[in-house]
Amino acid sequence: MNDDLFGGDSSQWAFGTDFEDPLAGVDTTMVDDVVADDLALYCLGLADDALIMSQRLSEWCSRAPEMEDDVALANLALDLLGQARLLLARAAAASPSVVPVLPEGSPVPPEDALAFFRSAGQFRNVRLAEVPGGDFAHVIVRLLLFSVARRELLERLRGSRDQVLAAVAARGVKEVSYHRDWSARWFLVLARGTGESRRRLISALDELWPYQAELVRCGAVDLALADAGVGVDPTTYAGAVDAVLGEVFATSGVERPSRGPLAGVGGRLGRDGVHTEALSLLLAEMQVVARAHPRGRW
Amino acid sequence: MGEWPLYEVFVRSKRGLNHVHVGSLHAADDEAALRNARDVYTRRNEGVSIWVVRSDAITASSPDEKDSLFDPSGDKVYRHPTFYTIPGSVPHL
Amino acid sequence: MPGQADHQAHFDEVIARHDRIEPRDWMPDAYRRTLVRQIAQHAHSEIIGMQPEGNWISRAPSLRRKAILLAKVQDEAGHGLYLYSAAETLGVSRDDLVAMLLSGKQKYSSIFNYPTLSYADVGTIGWLVDGAAICNQVPLCRTSYGPYGRAMIRICKEESFHQRQGYELLMTMMRGTPEQRDMVQESVNRFWWPSLMMFGPPDESSPNTERSMAWGIKRNSNDDLRQKFVDMTVPQAQALGVSLPDPSLTWNADRGQHDFGQPDWDELFAVIRGDGPCNTQRLAHRRRAHEDGAWVREAASAFAAQEEPGHG
């Protein structure tokens, strides 16, 4: 009967319930010709993208247009949260020096110390992830731009010499492919649905498009890890990302926005720890309980 | 414009088993129904197969006809209780 | 065609042998109305019940807890959906039911009109509120209406998981700092009496109980279930190391059950009337989500209409 599907086993949960060892069964040996801090920073970038996106998506819980969409949005947030947890754990293992120091005897695990005890300037996510939420069209556009790029990245990262990154990518590429298809479908529906839905969609696209270029920008860390066969140089998949987005726009009858990329500050962008004003507010909320109890057990 | 139509969802939980009715949901169209069914009724289980069909497309035998009314074996097409096992006891903790 | 009396006799016979009534069977109007009211109230409770816990998703203090809480609140959306579907087999639409929730014509469980004030409340809701819900719901797996019983089976399986995660959170916090232990006790103190109220008013002032039991819609009385819940919870509280805020709570060896005090029923009736701490806030949240989503639902319908053969 259906007991596999509906029984008490953990597989019925989107996230599973076996959280204790996020890297169980994977070879966690470090590749020896990579600078440990570079690997840690690379993992933090990928982790923070997922974590902050997940935080924004989960703001929709109990607010979706229909119950079915509420369940779907929570699944997306759970997938990204799972990716973030694995990647933060990998960053901590690669270089413990990136993990904030907590009081002696604190039971907080390193991945939680990274998520809840870093300040905004230490987060390395792209700014697209942190922009405050808008309407449902805003959710769809952000998710489309994000997941199209992340899917291309994860697909290539499956071949990483770092076994943990390869494993995270292999699992994540399936998840993010679904996110991409889900958001592309909604993009099409909103573009062709009603006059209002189209107007809202295009407005969200105009707002978010300037953040898109940051997703495919190559920084020094990306380049170093790509050279070592551990990471991926985003410029190698920028064309693929562009092609997918072009197809979605064409099918939906939406023109590619004309606005150029959002400038950084002195050339520094989200990956360099320079963010929008929204991130520290997001973190103030996300971290408030954890920071009030640095010795707390949860 | 009215509400999204109702769909019935059938899931094959494992190779070798039949698709069984697991419940219903609302969706604007078939493709959305399939995606919703995946999110609502399988929550990421790999290797399952899902059918969705609009509830108003199902033709069901009518228990109001005299024969089936008084015949306890008269079946329904969907929402059949034997699709489910009732747990002997659901543990409290 | 069989007449009304034949229908009624057949219905009575099915109920008498504890068999299930299915959607296309004949059923008395009052049975249908009672079921719609009860299932809808239950569905509304799941949907409104997302809010008190959802309040803490953004602030969950670990990644593991965030995932558990998000998955749990997601389950509640799923439960609401299963239950609305069960109600729809009785000939009402989800739109109608949602409209009755938003207009206040139909109620939801009063427990959700209490605020969540600390992260310990996430654990307490899992332990006490979901625990009370399970006591109410397990017998409903055998309810006489087939679709309702089947929805309840799915829900009970998931709810038992919910209760365990709540209890586990509290256990973990009790092994943490003194501040965390105080947080747990304070939360239990606040939620104990509202949890007892979840079983409804005492049997002597519960007008619908008798008929619902005769029809097999309800399988146990309010007071029986409340007693069962108290007896189940007392040893769990001891194992946890928290006290329950009822000075008259004692083991009665003669009865083989606990004696316990009465909740403040005036408060319950005030909350039911709409004067609870969060009634206005909960409904406003739901109404806003519904209204904000209208253009999306319309867009999807419009898109589907274009795609349909003959309309494109």
Side-chain angles (χ1 to χ4, degrees):
Chain A
M1 287 303 307
N2 291 327
D3 271 355
D4 290 328
L5 196 55
F6 308 126
D9 70 317
S10 65
S11 62
Q12 68 177 301
W13 285 60
F15 195 75
T17 52
D18 180 19
F19 303 95
E20 296 313 329
D21 181 5
L23 301 178
V26 175
D27 177 7
T28 56
T29 321
M30 298 291 162
V31 177
D32 54 12
D33 53 348
V34 165
V35 178
D37 281 350
D38 282 353
L39 177 58
L41 290 177
Y42 188 74
C43 291
L44 284 180
L46 299 187
D48 292 344
D49 282 354
L51 179 60
I52 303 301
M53 276 295 287
S54 174
Q55 181 79 0
R56 286 294 186 212
L57 280 168
S58 64
E59 288 169 0
W60 275 83
C61 193
S62 82
R63 292 183 168 83
E66 193 47 278
M67 277 160 245
E68 285 81 356
D69 307 311
D70 222 307
V71 176
L73 286 166
N75 271 344
L76 308 175
L78 282 164
D79 284 344
L80 292 171
L81 188 55
Q83 292 178 18
R85 188 156 187 258
L86 294 168
L87 289 161
L88 288 173
R90 189 54 172 171
S95 178
S97 69
V98 299
V99 181
V101 177
L102 294 181
E104 186 74 24
S106 167
V108 174
E111 64 271 23
D112 285 341
L114 282 166
F116 297 100
F117 291 88
R118 275 182 300 156
S119 56
Q122 295 170 299
F123 272 75
R124 295 179 50 81
N125 57 284
V126 294
R127 292 173 295 177
L128 175 73
E130 74 207 29
V131 176
D135 59 11
F136 189 73
H138 192 276
V139 175
I140 296 305
V141 171
R142 182 192 341 232
L143 188 69
L144 178 74
L145 298 180
F146 180 78
S147 56
V148 167
R150 193 170 180 89
R151 191 197 167 281
E152 296 304 323
L153 163 66
L154 293 179
E155 188 174 71
R156 288 159 180 80
L157 197 59
R158 286 182 302 178
S160 171
R161 289 169 62 217
D162 184 281
Q163 291 307 300
V164 176
L165 280 179
V168 171
R171 174 175 142 171
V173 76
K174 291 183 208 154
E175 295 169 344
V176 177
S177 296
Y178 182 73
H179 303 184
R180 182 192 67 172
D181 296 352
W182 189 88
S183 53
R185 171 77 185 180
W186 266 115
F187 192 96
L188 173 67
V189 168
L190 297 183
R192 301 211 341 228
T194 63
E196 183 180 10
S197 69
R198 186 175 179 83
R199 178 182 61 72
R200 286 174 179 266
L201 183 78
I202 288 171
S203 158
L205 184 60
D206 284 343
E207 180 197 331
L208 293 170
W209 181 253
Y211 296 94
Q212 196 274 336
E214 204 176 333
L215 288 163
V216 289
R217 165 196 182 246
C218 184
V221 169
D222 300 303
L223 207 54
L225 285 179
D227 284 346
V230 171
V232 180
D233 171 358
T235 58
T236 61
Y237 57 80
V241 167
D242 201 58
V244 174
L245 290 177
E247 195 184 323
V248 174
F249 295 156
T251 312
S252 307
V254 169
E255 271 182 51
R256 180 184 297 267
S258 54
R259 283 179 67 187
L262 199 70
V265 178
R268 297 166 71 210
L269 312 179
R271 283 269 186 275
D272 312 305
V274 176
H275 293 276
T276 66
E277 292 174 353
L279 183 63
S280 69
L281 284 169
L282 178 150
L283 294 179
E285 182 176 348
M286 184 175 99
Q287 298 176 335
V288 62
V289 180
R291 285 194 182 232
H293 303 274
R295 295 173 192 275
R297 277 180 203 281
W298 307 100
Chain B
M1 198 163 304
E3 71 183 319
W4 292 346
L6 190 66
Y7 282 80
E8 302 301 323
V9 181
F10 300 79
V11 170
R12 185 208 300 284
S13 60
K14 236 190 234 176
R15 286 177 185 280
L17 296 182
N18 286 321
H19 284 77
V20 294
H21 182 246
V22 295
S24 323
L25 50 75
H26 286 269
D29 55 33
D30 295 354
E31 188 170 332
L34 202 53
R35 289 180 192 278
N36 288 347
R38 172 191 185 276
D39 281 322
V40 173
Y41 285 103
T42 72
R43 305 270 172 86
R44 288 295 188 281
N45 263 43
E46 302 297 332
V48 298
S49 154
I50 303 172
W51 292 344
V52 291
V53 59
R54 271 179 71 146
S55 309
D56 59 16
I58 291 178
T59 306
S61 62
S62 169
D64 287 329
E65 287 155 17
K66 196 173 189 317
D67 286 342
S68 58
L69 176 62
F70 293 105
D71 179 0
S73 71
D75 256 350
K76 320 296 177 290
V77 168
Y78 61 101
R79 306 197 192 289
H80 196 296
T82 57
F83 286 151
Y84 295 87
T85 48
I86 299 180
S89 67
V90 175
H92 294 305
L93 263 183
Chain C
M1 289 292 287
Q4 173 85 8
D6 293 336
H7 283 313
Q8 182 73 50
H10 176 64
F11 174 84
D12 292 344
E13 185 194 310
V14 172
I15 296 289
R17 63 168 190 261
H18 299 299
D19 207 343
R20 302 294 186 271
I21 300 295
E22 292 294 339
R24 295 165 62 91
D25 292 334
W26 181 90
M27 61 190 86
D29 284 345
Y31 175 87
R32 188 185 296 270
R33 275 197 307 275
T34 302
L35 271 171
V36 168
R37 196 193 65 220
Q38 180 173 332
I39 300 173
Q41 178 167 331
H42 194 162
H44 301 330
S45 298
E46 295 284 355
I47 295 303
I48 296 289
M50 295 170 74
Q51 292 180 43
E53 289 169 286
N55 178 34
W56 288 91
I57 292 172
S58 66
R59 291 172 290 171
S62 78
L63 297 172
R64 175 173 178 269
R65 288 296 168 195
K66 194 189 276 291
I68 291 174
L69 183 57
L70 183 52
K72 189 194 167 203
V73 178
Q74 178 194 43
D75 273 349
E76 284 155 13
H79 296 177
L81 197 155
Y82 307 156
L83 287 162
Y84 283 121
S85 299
E88 284 179 275
T89 64
L90 291 159
V92 289
S93 73
R94 190 196 283 180
D95 267 4
D96 293 339
L97 296 173
V98 169
M100 284 195 274
L101 167 67
L102 296 182
S103 68
K105 280 199 191 105
Q106 286 181 339
K107 303 290 183 194
Y108 53 88
S109 178
S110 291
I111 191 79
F112 302 120
N113 288 320
Y114 287 90
T116 52
L117 302 177
S118 78
Y119 203 78
D121 288 1
V122 170
T124 309
I125 286 179
W127 175 39
L128 295 180
V129 175
D130 292 339
I134 291 168
C135 285
N136 272 326
Q137 289 169 359
V138 168
L140 291 176
C141 296
R142 295 180 291 112
T143 191
S144 61
Y145 187 59
Y148 188 26
R150 291 192 288 277
M152 290 316 306
I153 289 168
R154 291 181 70 92
I155 290 170
C156 282
K157 284 183 171 183
E158 295 181 353
E159 291 270 336
S160 69
F161 214 164
H162 291 181
Q163 196 198 14
R164 272 177 290 202
Q165 68 79 30
Y167 193 75
E168 190 236 9
L169 169 60
L170 297 181
M171 275 200 312
T172 309
M173 290 179 70
M174 290 301 282
R175 287 191 281 108
T177 63
E179 293 81 16
Q180 288 186 294
R181 283 192 285 280
D182 290 348
M183 207 194 291
V184 172
Q185 182 65 59
E186 190 274 333
S187 173
V188 170
N189 291 349
R190 260 185 300 115
F191 271 100
W192 174 248
W193 293 112
S195 302
L196 291 190
M197 293 179 198
M198 285 178 68
F199 297 94
D203 291 345
E204 69 258 24
S205 49
S206 178
N208 298 322
T209 293
E210 202 178 333
R211 193 173 62 175
S212 288
M213 286 181 71
W215 275 338
I217 294 175
K218 229 170 141 164
R219 293 288 191 191
N220 301 83
S221 82
N222 295 351
D223 286 334
D224 287 351
L225 289 169
R226 191 166 11 246
Q227 179 73 55
K228 185 166 178 270
F229 173 71
V230 171
D231 291 334
M232 182 182 96
T233 306
V234 168
Q236 291 167 359
Q238 282 163 353
L240 195 56
V242 297
S243 60
L244 298 172
D246 178 358
S248 47
L249 181 63
T250 48
W251 176 250
N252 182 327
D254 293 340
R255 289 202 301 130
Q257 291 173 322
H258 291 86
D259 293 335
F260 55 97
Q262 286 291 307
D264 179 352
W265 294 118
D266 289 343
E267 180 176 302
L268 176 67
F269 292 125
V271 177
I272 290 175
R273 259 200 324 272
D275 298 331
C278 300
N279 295 55
T280 308
Q281 174 189 338
R282 300 288 186 241
L283 270 184
H285 177 111
R286 195 64 243 144
R287 199 171 288 128
R288 194 166 57 243
H290 189 72
E291 287 165 5
D292 287 352
W295 70 270
V296 181
R297 296 190 297 272
E298 281 162 20
S301 293
F303 180 81
Q306 296 163 29
E307 296 288 290
E308 244 172 58
H311 295 77

